Amino acid sequence: MPMWYAIEGYDDADVLGRRLQARPQHLARLHALRDAGRLLLAGPCPAIDAEDPGQAGFSGSIVIAEFASLEEARAWADADPYVEAGVYGRVEVRPFRPVLP
């Protein structure tokens, strides 16, 4: 039975250029999850307290999506273009249970 999983990617330092270059491929994978009805939410975490952090960039990203298992969620996260591009220094995947809203 599918479950929700929280995937948190943490950016390394000075990776904004790599992030921007890999973004189209990263978003395409998120759109595929959304189109399959498996995406609860996704988005970046600005490195500063601003909607648009400019050159400060991002500290990471959060994706909450549905997968058949923790292993499948980890495999999906490991294949993220941000991982391949060296944007994320580390990625954490754990089960998530939506309660609100």
Side-chain angles (χ1 to χ4, degrees):
M1 171 200 265
M3 278 189 52
W4 294 101
Y5 293 90
I7 300 169
E8 296 179 84
Y10 296 86
D11 286 21
D12 270 342
D14 302 317
V15 295
L16 183 58
R18 284 184 262 168
R19 176 183 265 274
L20 294 174
Q21 186 173 9
R23 188 170 188 262
Q25 296 86 359
H26 173 78
L27 289 178
R29 295 177 82 232
L30 293 171
H31 289 159
L33 283 177
R34 179 201 62 201
D35 294 347
R38 296 173 45 206
L39 183 66
L40 184 63
L41 67 86
C45 300
I48 60 173
D49 190 13
E51 176 76 19
D52 179 358
Q55 290 301 309
F58 300 89
S59 62
S61 302
I62 297 171
V63 174
I64 300 179
E66 190 177 50
F67 294 94
S69 67
L70 180 58
E71 292 75 25
E72 184 183 304
R74 284 184 176 142
W76 188 90
D78 288 345
D80 193 295
Y82 284 171
V83 171
E84 184 178 318
V87 174
Y88 293 154
R90 70 183 168 95
V91 177
E92 294 183 9
V93 181
R94 52 197 166 142
F96 178 80
R97 191 178 77 178
V99 175
L100 293 172

